[in-house]
């Protein structure tokens, strides 16, 4: 088995970030390698979640680990075909960011708890109710699979300002290459 490698992360605006992803139908070695690459990419960024469309792969696959404390045991989760089964009426607000929208943060309100069903990289089924940062993160990542970004929850005006900044960032990066 080869070592996991970092993959380039797509930056908004990119049509691949807006496209709904199809379900994973087969767990292959390639898919397992991809999920390891995604964890590697996420930890290196550093980030707490990453969805396959963000590295240009259209598949319902996300990775996350919301353990931020360096001394705590990491909890890397690989979710194939994650599905939100239930959410709480109670809502919470977190300042969200996204590896595809670097250095931009904004408050987003979402359900405070989310019950998610998924398949792991070994084909095992799981269901768990997440709260706190985990609930926000898992909802944010599942949104990516539906072509939705956290800035889609903001006003059109704010979204436009952020999108302009990202267009400029991409131009600057292209010039530096
Ligand atoms: Ni994101």
């Amino acid at each position: 088995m080869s070592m996991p490698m970092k993959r380039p992360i797509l930056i908004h605006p990119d049509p691949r970030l807006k496209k709904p992803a199809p379900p994973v139908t087969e767990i292959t070695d390639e898919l397992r390698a991809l999920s390891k690459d995604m964890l590697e990419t996420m930890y290196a960024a550093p980030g707490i979640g990453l969805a396959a469309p963000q590295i240009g792969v259209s598949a319902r696959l996300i990775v996350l680990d919301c353990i931020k404390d360096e001394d705590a045991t990491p909890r890397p989760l690989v979710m194939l075909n994650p599905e939100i089964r239930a959410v709480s009426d109670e809502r919470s607000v977190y300042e969200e960011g996204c590896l595809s929208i670097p250095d931009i943060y904004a408050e987003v309100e979402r359900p405070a708890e989310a019950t998610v069903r998924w398949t792991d990289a070994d084909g095992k089924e799981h269901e768990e109710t997440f709260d706190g940062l985990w609930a926000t993160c898992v909802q944010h990542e599942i949104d990516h699979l539906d072509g939705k970004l956290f800035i889609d929850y903001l006003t059109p005006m704010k979204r436009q300002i952020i999108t302009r900044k990202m267009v400029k960032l991409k131009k600057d990066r292209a010039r530096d290459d």
Side-chain angles (χ1 to χ4, degrees):
M1 198 82 175
S2 57
M3 292 284 287
M5 60 173 193
K6 275 196 289 169
R7 308 272 193 117
I9 298 171
L10 300 180
I11 304 298
H12 165 75
D14 187 302
R16 290 168 287 181
L17 293 171
K18 301 302 295 176
K19 197 178 150 229
V24 171
T25 53
E26 202 187 349
I27 302 172
T28 59
D29 286 346
E30 193 190 357
L31 188 100
R32 271 191 275 259
L34 173 68
S35 61
K36 288 197 176 114
D37 286 355
M38 284 174 60
L39 281 168
E40 182 87 1
T41 306
M42 177 190 84
Y43 285 127
I48 57 171
L50 187 69
Q54 292 181 274
I55 55 162
V57 176
S58 191
R60 300 191 81 80
L61 162 61
I62 63 172
V63 298
L64 61 158
D65 184 350
C66 298
I67 306 282
K68 279 178 147 179
D69 186 351
E70 298 251 327
D71 299 327
T73 311
R75 194 191 176 205
L77 288 181
V78 174
M79 296 184 174
L80 311 179
N81 304 327
E83 202 185 318
I84 293 175
R85 307 289 293 177
V87 292
S88 61
D89 290 334
E90 190 201 332
R91 297 174 73 83
S92 66
V93 176
Y94 269 95
E95 187 156 81
E96 294 190 24
C98 181
L99 296 178
S100 292
I101 311 170
D103 301 324
I104 302 285
Y105 302 91
E107 287 190 340
V108 176
E109 188 188 299
R110 299 181 188 267
E113 291 180 14
T115 302
V116 180
R117 184 180 288 178
W118 74 95
T119 304
D120 70 20
D122 296 316
K124 201 173 157 232
E125 298 256 350
H126 298 262
E127 190 172 292
E128 184 173 331
T129 299
F130 294 96
D131 62 12
L133 182 59
W134 284 91
T136 286
C137 183
V138 77
Q139 291 174 79
H140 173 123
E141 298 313 326
I142 292 172
D143 272 352
H144 274 297
L145 304 181
D146 297 320
K148 194 166 181 181
L149 302 171
F150 82 91
I151 56 169
D152 294 331
Y153 293 93
L154 310 180
T155 62
M157 171 89 90
K158 278 186 185 160
R159 195 159 59 236
Q160 201 176 49
I161 290 167
I162 293 167
T163 300
R164 280 205 205 109
K165 277 188 187 162
M166 292 300 111
V167 169
K168 185 177 181 301
L169 175 78
K170 289 213 283 190
K171 266 189 201 152
D172 290 348
R173 283 188 179 182
R175 200 173 30 226
D176 293 343
D177 279 346

